[in-house]
Amino acid sequence: MRVAITGALSYTGRYLSKLLLDNGVNHITSFSRRTTPLTSHLLNQNDLSKITSKPLDWTSRKAMSESLEGIDVLFCTYWIRFEVDGDTHEKAAARVGELFHAAKDAGVKKVVFSSHTRTSLTSPYTYIRGKALAESYLRAICSTSSMNYSIVRPCGIFGDTPSESILMNNASWVMRGTPLFLLSGCGGEVFQPVHVRDMARLMCDLGESMHTTSEELDACGPDAPTALELFRRLNEEVDGNGFVIASGLPTRVIGAMTKPIDWITGDVLLDTDDLDLLGSGLTRANNPDDELIKGRRSLFDWIGEVKG
């Protein structure tokens, strides 16, 4: 099986690459400018010798198709987190749609796309609406061709180390340094993230089933705590200095309160869009009865093991 990943050395891509190589894939094409792994663990030098990185020309369907010639399975994890400098989630969906067209033109047998739980074309959230649009492009292209597809639906990912879960790592940092950790709203919103190894396993299994199609599965873990339950547990495990409180405040106020921390760290601690999405009711499985969910790694166990 000949495979390509839109970022084989990035976050989820590294774990997916390792599984594919361990399962006998001899070479992976990584459509990215990144030539070194995001972190040094996981992939050894022998693994890295089997991964070739080359950027995609997103402006040319023909060039993308040429890059995909000979590829059996395309794993698409590409997306943008924020809308910045005129680049929108709708534009990201359009780019991905062009990539799917290029894959069809190149004779790719299957595309596995990383989307999000509870997508909708009418969602008020641009991130969710963009993902839904990308899904619609993929379904339409496959319905009129012999190319197969799978869609996996995460709503958040945590990894082997604290730094591989941005949300939890940032929250731990705040908890250790401030007397209060304020949640927006009532704190009753459910969050059901997945461990990155389970996410990679699901994508790998679907990709290796080249001749099946139309699978749309949740990439969620077995724990689905409310925000209040999650962050109080995290506060206990990381020996936080204060209290976790559901403030009743809107997300824009909480987001504004974190801006000084952004200036200090040079990073975005909690974007208002992230907070809105966490409080939207969309960060949980579409199908909570999916048997695959029960066998995945526990978020609470992970928190106890790595402790931010």
Side-chain angles (χ1 to χ4, degrees), residues 8-273:
L9 302 177
S10 59
Y11 184 19
T12 304
R14 288 176 298 125
Y15 289 87
L16 176 56
S17 295
K18 183 63 175 175
L19 281 176
L20 290 166
L21 292 170
D22 287 350
N23 286 0
V25 169
N26 293 319
H27 182 263
I28 296 172
T29 299
S30 177
F31 291 132
S32 172
R33 288 183 172 82
R34 180 180 290 277
T35 57
T36 56
L38 192 60
T39 62
S40 58
H41 89 294
L42 197 67
L43 294 170
N44 58 40
Q45 287 302 312
N46 184 51
D47 295 330
L48 293 173
S49 70
K50 299 176 182 178
I51 299 173
T52 302
S53 296
K54 58 179 179 180
L56 279 177
D57 181 0
W58 291 100
T59 65
S60 170
R61 184 189 298 184
K62 183 177 183 294
M64 287 194 289
S65 182
E66 290 172 352
S67 295
L68 284 160
E69 286 180 1
I71 297 296
D72 295 312
V73 181
L74 168 65
F75 296 93
C76 181
T77 59
Y78 169 81
W79 202 245
I80 60 171
R81 183 182 174 194
F82 303 124
E83 294 189 328
V84 178
D85 297 332
D87 195 13
T88 66
H89 294 123
E90 184 176 349
K91 290 179 179 179
R95 286 194 292 273
V96 168
E98 283 297 292
L99 177 61
F100 297 156
H101 274 292
K104 180 201 72 173
D105 294 344
V108 171
K109 295 181 175 64
K110 190 169 189 176
V111 173
V112 182
F113 175 55
S114 172
S115 185
H116 196 283
T117 52
R118 300 181 178 267
T119 57
S120 169
L121 289 169
T122 59
S123 175
Y125 304 100
T126 61
Y127 189 100
I128 297 298
R129 201 163 61 242
K131 288 282 192 178
L133 190 57
E135 290 177 359
S136 71
Y137 292 149
L138 181 58
R139 294 188 194 100
I141 292 165
C142 291
S143 71
T144 58
S145 71
S146 60
M147 190 168 73
N148 296 325
Y149 80 91
S150 296
I151 294 171
V152 297
R153 302 183 299 230
C155 61
I157 302 175
F158 58 100
D160 282 355
T161 64
S163 62
E164 288 188 319
S165 175
I166 296 171
L167 174 64
M168 244 68 75
N169 198 42
N170 288 353
S172 299
W173 188 85
V174 175
M175 288 169 175
R176 291 190 179 107
T178 62
L180 284 178
F181 186 87
L182 298 179
L183 300 173
S184 59
C186 68
E189 304 82 5
V190 170
F191 184 45
Q192 196 172 358
V194 69
H195 193 284
V196 65
R197 289 183 182 271
D198 293 319
M199 170 76 171
R201 169 54 63 189
L202 179 60
M203 295 190 74
C204 180
D205 289 347
L206 291 170
E208 289 180 338
S209 302
M210 280 191 294
H211 303 295
T212 61
T213 193
S214 306
E215 303 104 334
E216 300 191 17
L217 299 174
D218 293 320
C220 294
D223 296 334
T226 66
L228 204 54
E229 292 168 340
L230 171 60
F231 290 109
R232 282 182 173 170
R233 176 67 173 272
L234 182 64
N235 190 50
E236 292 173 5
E237 293 288 354
V238 302
D239 299 322
N241 289 326
F243 301 95
V244 177
I245 297 173
S247 67
L249 295 169
T251 55
R252 66 179 182 277
V253 174
I254 300 296
M257 293 171 68
T258 67
K259 290 304 177 187
I261 300 175
D262 294 349
W263 301 332
I264 294 169
T265 62
D267 195 7
V268 178
L269 182 69
L270 292 171
D271 183 75
T272 301
D273 290 343

